Amino acid sequence: MTTGLHPGGTPQDPPPTGNQPLPRQAPIGHGPLPADNRPRSSVITARAAASFEPVGRSVATARSFVRDTLQGWGFADIVDDAVVLTSELVTNAVVHAGTAADVLCLRSDDGVRIEVADHYPEREIPLQGAAITMSSPDREGGRGLQLCAALASRWGVDYTPTQKLVWFQLDLPARPVGTRAAGPSLPAALLPLADGRVRVAVVQIDRTGSIASWNEDAEELFGYAAEQVTGKPLTDLAAWPHTPGTSTGIAEALRLSRWEGSYGIRGADGRVNPVYASHLRVRDTGGEPSTVCLLVRDHERAVLQTPLRGPAPDAASTPDGQNTDPFEVFIGSPAPDDLDGLLQRTVERARDMLDGDSAFLLLATDDETELEVRASTGLPSARQRFARVPVEAGPGRYGSARMPAVHEDLQAVPGAVPLLSGTGMRSVVTVPLKVEGRLTGSLGVAAEGPNKYSNEEALRLQFAADRIALAVESARLGELERLRRGSLSFLVEASDLLAGTLDRDQTLALMAQMTVPTLATWCAVYTIADQASDPYLSYVLHEDEELIDGIKSLLSKIAPPDPVPTPGARVWAAPAEAAHQAALRTSMRSLGLGEPTRRVSSGIGPTLATASAVGGETVVLPLVARNRVIGMLTLGKPTDEHFRQEILELAEDLSRRAALALDNARLYSERTAISQSLQRSLLPPDLPHIEGVEVEVIYRAAGEGNEVGGDFYDLFPIRDGVYGFAIGDVCGTGPEAAAVTGLARHALRLLAREGFGGPAVLERLNSAILDEGARSRFLTLLYGELWPQEDGSAKLKVVCAGHPLPLRLRQDGTVEPAAEPQPLLGVMDDLELYEQTVTLDPGDVLLCVTDGVTERREGTRMLGDDGLTDVLTTCTGLTAGAVAARIMRAVERFASDAPSDDMAILAMRVPGLQKD
């Protein structure tokens, strides 16, 4: 809200914005719309303007603005009507129209004009004579104009291209001379009851507080003759109530210009007579001051009591006589709608109330064993915020936050209030905040001078604390509920992110990015490879990227935290100490003062910015997974800041999830490394060079981590001029399939080099597979022997045992199978296999693939043998490498999804003899 108050000046109307106002429409049922017939000569004596944001709380703020403005102008008679009308019109602007509202109050001799403008002109402009029915008063919207018609002296609506303005005028009621305030006429039965004649004691007190005059009614009421009391101080007769929260005694009340309330007068019989008194301070023509006291029996207070005052002497009331909540009296209206704002307002009001130099407020943790600093004023708040102190700091009431305490001089008792150590404060008063007898916080006010506070100030502060305790606890519980809901959402999101990856480095990065800056300003993750290894600094992150290298350098030069498996956060002071020492060395070196006595490890040279970044509180949380400490999560704050207890509890929950995710990533990495190593061992390390034949192999293992098993290939020399080749596919994946794969590849080499032909090699391999028993897997295999010829061709003998048939591409572009299908291996004992002879002429290509190529799918479509043939037809004239690459591109483009099966491609081409 922005406001401005302008003193009255020359008579003028509010300047129009935009074009001249359009004709206004008279609401149906209310007669013609009153014109703005305020005399142009009436003087605008004051203006007050304010703008309100389009949020719900602006309505209450607008009401307070208008109320305060009119009361300041002395127009209490029309305050209520003005507040009601303003409330409705501002509600229409900020809630229904959704725009900011501008409120202008104009004071003149005959009344007040209030204008409320919004910025939503795109509405139907009323035309004169249009029949529009006014909305029902029971509806949520549309009441504003009806109320204006009912309460205002004059009102209207002005439209411009940029805004809509609703104004109303309230005339001041005629007040005859001598009339200040009047109550309603009441039947006699409802009038206050008095005992016969009402006696009003008139007592005049001189400037020293002594009785100067005592009338007959005073003699009758209290039993003293005038000569018995004249010259005596009134304080000798008054029984003044020591009400908590007020320092006003009878002596102070007699010096006030006006006072009204209840106390007691001791009569001649020794009894205290409750009276209601009105004190008025006057002076005579010589300038001598005195106080006139009018006193009646307390139950006859209606004779003296001002109608606008509340009946109780400590009841809080607004200037217009309406009772208000004592909480609002202390905090002010409107009260802040957030906990931090409420606590900050509280400490500021408490400091001002006791004329202190600083104030602080602490809230209790859930277990009520510690208090946490949540607001302060006049103190280094950055250093003190979220600092924690125990509820019971020592024996006796002065060591407990559960009781009020006054320390007249902290220098006499060093450390009595640890929160104020080093702040220069000497005297302090603290009081507890309690709700239903349960400690919820502590409020304190401190001053730089000694002996400033006594029990009286403690009573006043306790009186204020009792009135705000419930509101503070309600706001705290609301914040705690929001924090817990946010924590739950945070942990759910964190769990999803951590579960979405099995990469160790990415898991470390996620851990850091989730904590900075949500939970901490910077963080570092230490990992432990095994029980015998020391913690290793694996990742560092700061919300300011320029400070990451400096923090990493600092942490790498100090010993890592101990890997303690105890759950929960523990403070680690080493980074802050090292940073402070290094910063001191740097500063002294720059000033030419040499090195300080206390030194840190050589090589530490962080800048002052780095020292400030890690100079606050640092905590370490263990990363425990499967009953083993696998690392530590370190969280830090900048200089002199502390962690909230709720943040530490949330960080502990996160550390448990992160530890399990990090350990899962470690196990997966180890398993992947083993799988890849085994996969490499099942494939030939390299391909032999074959004179006169081009050979190219492409192998793609499906699945994340390259699961072992599946497809395999091999190309090896058998004897001079003869080479064996194979490509196969074992049923399934995993260790069982890998065992069959290794058996097949090594058996093929061994049997072929022993001189067995193709059918004999496969029959013996079949027997070996069946001997595996339950671990056996059936196997499709294409095996052949290759003889390069002197004329540039190549002779092949091929056996295709259940495998996709090899395809031969001729130079003319025709494609044909190069073998016939035969039974696969690992199913039946007796196999009758035979080999087929194929001759590759110069320029011919032999293509061998596994079923991962032909069974590539996209929905219901499959590449198949025909699709592979079509692609191979386009490869005429290409080298073996180009053929294999084109086949792989075609397979990958056939479907958008990643391949679900291993793929192996073996291409052999006879280029022919080179001519000189």
Side-chain angles (χ1 to χ4, degrees):
M1 180 187 78
T2 57
T3 61
L5 185 63
H6 315 282
T10 58
Q12 59 182 359
D13 290 327
T17 58
N19 301 331
Q20 294 296 326
L22 296 172
R24 295 185 288 272
Q25 173 197 357
I28 303 301
H30 295 273
L33 182 71
D36 181 11
N37 54 11
R38 173 171 55 83
R40 299 302 178 187
S41 61
S42 63
V43 177
I44 298 176
T45 57
R47 301 170 182 261
S51 297
F52 303 93
E53 297 297 326
V55 293
R57 62 176 179 271
S58 294
V59 179
T61 309
R63 288 197 297 264
S64 299
F65 164 70
V66 173
R67 183 182 296 278
D68 294 342
T69 299
L70 269 59
Q71 287 175 349
W73 289 347
F75 292 163
D77 296 325
I78 60 175
V79 164
D80 291 337
D81 289 347
V83 169
V84 169
L85 295 179
T86 303
S87 179
E88 287 292 332
L89 298 179
V90 174
T91 300
N92 290 339
V94 303
V95 176
H96 301 300
T99 72
D102 301 325
V103 179
L104 175 65
C105 300
L106 303 173
R107 183 183 72 183
S108 61
D109 297 335
D110 53 353
V112 173
R113 172 180 169 123
I114 297 179
E115 300 177 353
V116 179
D118 63 39
H119 301 276
Y120 190 73
E122 297 87 1
R123 296 197 172 190
E124 180 182 359
I125 299 180
L127 301 177
Q128 189 69 25
I132 300 178
T133 303
M134 195 67 89
S135 63
S136 169
D138 296 329
R139 295 182 56 190
E140 175 64 23
R143 294 192 300 257
L145 299 183
Q146 286 182 302
L147 289 174
C148 287
L151 301 178
S153 303
R154 292 178 296 278
W155 66 279
V157 183
D158 295 345
Y159 286 89
T160 71
T162 59
Q163 69 176 6
K164 174 172 67 67
L165 183 146
V166 180
W167 61 270
F168 62 88
Q169 177 144 345
L170 298 173
D171 294 336
L172 293 176
R175 291 187 284 187
V177 176
T179 302
R180 179 181 180 275
S185 59
L186 297 174
L190 299 180
L191 294 176
L193 183 64
D195 296 338
R197 176 188 169 189
V198 176
R199 298 184 183 276
V200 180
V202 180
V203 183
Q204 191 164 5
I205 311 299
D206 62 19
R207 67 187 308 164
T208 64
S210 301
I211 299 174
S213 63
W214 186 270
N215 72 342
E216 294 179 357
D217 283 353
E219 294 181 3
E220 188 68 26
L221 285 174
F222 308 121
Y224 297 107
E227 58 271 14
Q228 291 179 278
V229 296
T230 302
K232 291 185 177 182
L234 182 62
T235 55
D236 292 349
L237 305 179
W240 190 258
H242 295 284
T243 305
T246 175
S247 61
T248 304
I250 181 64
E252 289 82 0
L254 294 175
R255 288 194 295 269
L256 297 175
S257 61
R258 170 87 176 170
W259 188 90
E260 196 173 323
S262 297
Y263 56 93
I265 296 292
R266 294 185 183 89
D269 57 1
R271 292 185 300 176
V272 176
N273 301 293
V275 298
Y276 191 84
S278 177
H279 300 173
L280 180 64
R281 191 165 173 79
V282 297
R283 62 184 174 88
D284 58 19
T285 55
E288 186 68 16
S290 62
T291 303
V292 177
C293 306
L294 305 179
L295 303 97
V296 297
R297 295 183 180 91
D298 192 65
H299 64 273
E300 295 173 346
R301 66 173 58 191
V303 175
L304 299 181
Q305 186 175 13
T306 302
L308 297 181
R309 289 182 60 86
D314 61 343
S317 60
T318 58
D320 60 356
Q322 295 183 352
N323 291 337
T324 60
D325 187 351
F327 166 75
E328 293 187 357
V329 174
F330 179 75
I331 293 297
S333 182
D337 55 0
D338 63 299
L339 178 60
D340 290 337
L342 176 62
L343 299 181
Q344 192 62 36
R345 178 82 64 85
T346 298
V347 296
E348 291 171 356
R349 293 297 173 90
R351 178 198 60 188
D352 296 341
M353 183 179 71
L354 297 188
D355 192 23
D357 297 309
S358 63
F360 51 89
L361 192 149
L362 303 89
L363 293 184
T365 54
D366 289 342
D367 57 5
E368 298 181 7
T369 59
E370 289 185 312
L371 295 172
E372 189 175 59
V373 178
R374 292 300 304 273
S376 64
T377 181
L379 295 174
S381 56
R383 178 173 67 89
Q384 302 296 343
R385 185 168 173 80
F386 299 126
R388 291 177 294 280
V389 296
V391 171
E392 309 290 348
R397 59 169 294 184
Y398 291 99
S400 172
R402 303 184 188 277
M403 298 290 293
V406 177
H407 294 273
E408 296 178 348
D409 193 349
L410 292 177
Q411 287 188 357
V413 190
V417 183
L419 186 64
L420 299 179
S421 299
T423 61
M425 300 298 158
R426 297 281 299 275
S427 54
V428 60
V429 53
T430 60
V431 296
L433 276 69
K434 294 184 178 181
V435 176
E436 298 179 350
R438 182 173 55 86
L439 180 70
T440 60
S442 178
L443 177 63
V445 178
E448 295 180 352
N451 304 315
K452 186 168 183 179
Y453 300 121
S454 62
N455 288 338
E456 185 175 353
E457 283 77 20
L459 289 173
R460 292 180 61 194
L461 189 61
Q462 185 67 70
F463 183 78
D466 292 342
R467 275 151 178 74
I468 67 169
L470 184 60
V472 169
E473 178 66 2
S474 177
R476 186 187 74 89
L477 293 176
E479 182 197 62
L480 186 60
E481 178 64 21
R482 291 190 295 271
L483 181 61
R484 286 174 175 171
R485 290 185 180 181
S487 300
L488 182 60
S489 300
F490 173 79
L491 290 175
V492 169
E493 182 178 358
S495 299
D496 289 342
L497 291 174
L498 292 172
T501 180
L502 288 171
D503 181 82
R504 176 183 176 276
D505 294 337
Q506 189 173 359
T507 302
L508 290 172
L510 284 175
M511 291 170 57
Q513 291 166 7
M514 285 185 293
T515 56
V516 177
T518 305
L519 305 182
T521 306
W522 65 272
C523 88
V525 182
Y526 290 86
T527 57
I528 303 175
D530 52 59
Q531 299 288 354
S533 301
D534 294 329
Y536 173 75
L537 182 62
S538 298
Y539 202 91
V540 175
L541 183 66
H542 191 282
E543 61 183 6
D544 186 353
E545 294 183 355
E546 296 181 355
L547 299 177
I548 294 178
D549 292 338
I551 297 176
K552 186 181 299 183
S553 174
L554 176 68
L555 295 179
S556 63
K557 296 295 191 277
I558 61 178
D562 295 331
V564 178
T566 306
R570 53 190 173 92
V571 176
W572 185 31
E577 293 177 356
H580 291 161
Q581 295 172 30
L584 179 60
R585 293 180 60 210
T586 302
S587 299
M588 295 185 69
R589 189 184 305 113
S590 65
L591 295 174
L593 299 179
E595 298 289 338
T597 303
R598 188 178 180 186
R599 302 185 57 176
V600 295
S601 302
S602 60
I604 301 180
T607 64
L608 294 178
T610 302
S612 176
V614 301
E617 187 175 51
T618 302
V619 296
V620 178
L621 298 103
L623 298 175
V624 180
R626 297 174 176 90
N627 299 320
R628 187 175 72 88
V629 180
I630 64 170
M632 285 88 70
L633 176 63
T634 304
L635 306 180
K637 286 282 190 178
T639 301
D640 294 331
E641 286 198 18
H642 298 268
F643 284 96
R644 294 183 58 180
Q645 186 63 33
E646 294 85 353
I647 295 299
L648 294 180
E649 293 174 357
L650 180 59
E652 186 177 356
D653 287 338
L654 176 63
S655 67
R656 287 194 292 266
R657 290 165 169 78
L660 187 59
L662 185 61
D663 198 46
N664 288 339
R666 178 188 63 83
L667 294 175
Y668 180 77
S669 298
E670 293 177 357
R671 179 173 178 269
T672 301
I674 294 173
S675 174
Q676 291 175 343
S677 177
L678 180 58
Q679 184 75 61
R680 287 191 296 270
S681 70
L682 299 177
L683 298 176
D686 51 23
L687 298 178
H689 174 72
I690 303 177
E691 188 70 29
V693 179
E694 298 175 359
V695 179
E696 182 65 26
V697 175
I698 297 179
Y699 181 84
R700 294 286 188 272
E704 187 176 0
N706 298 331
E707 187 78 23
V708 298
D711 300 358
F712 70 96
Y713 67 90
D714 201 0
L715 181 64
F716 56 92
I718 298 176
R719 53 186 177 274
D720 290 342
V722 181
Y723 297 87
F725 66 91
I727 184 170
D729 186 2
V730 178
C731 174
T733 58
E736 294 83 359
V740 176
T741 300
L743 173 65
R745 193 172 75 85
H746 294 292
L748 287 175
R749 289 195 173 206
L750 180 61
L751 294 172
R753 288 171 177 171
E754 289 294 325
F756 293 97
V761 168
L762 269 58
E763 289 171 359
R764 285 165 174 73
L765 176 60
N766 180 66
S767 300
I769 293 174
L770 292 176
D771 289 342
E772 293 292 315
R775 297 181 301 173
S776 65
R777 292 286 189 274
F778 65 80
L779 168 67
T780 67
L781 179 63
L782 172 66
Y783 173 76
E785 295 179 356
L786 171 65
W787 286 272
Q789 303 296 312
E790 295 181 358
D791 59 357
S793 64
K795 180 180 178 183
L796 293 87
K797 293 183 178 180
V798 181
V799 180
C800 186
H803 199 78
L805 300 179
L807 298 179
R808 176 181 179 179
L809 172 64
R810 296 183 180 274
Q811 293 192 64
D812 58 2
T814 59
V815 176
E816 60 184 6
E820 295 178 353
Q822 299 184 59
L824 52 79
L825 308 181
V827 178
M828 60 184 71
D829 292 330
D830 297 328
L831 289 180
E832 294 183 0
L833 301 176
Y834 57 91
E835 60 184 8
Q836 296 175 274
T837 301
V838 179
T839 300
L840 296 181
D841 297 326
D844 289 355
V845 176
L846 183 70
L847 178 66
C848 308
V849 299
T850 58
D851 58 3
V853 174
T854 56
E855 295 181 1
R856 177 72 163 148
R857 294 181 180 274
E858 173 71 16
T860 59
R861 299 185 307 115
M862 186 172 72
L863 179 63
D865 296 335
D866 294 338
L868 180 61
T869 301
D870 294 339
V871 176
L872 184 59
T873 303
T874 65
C875 297
T876 304
L878 299 181
T879 63
V883 171
R886 178 169 294 186
I887 297 298
M888 179 56 69
R889 285 197 301 270
V891 172
E892 291 175 344
R893 293 173 180 175
F894 185 80
S896 58
D897 296 336
S900 58
D901 194 5
D902 298 341
M903 292 184 291
I905 299 175
L906 172 60
M908 294 183 291
R909 177 175 179 269
V910 180
L913 296 175
Q914 299 293 331
K915 295 183 180 180
D916 294 334

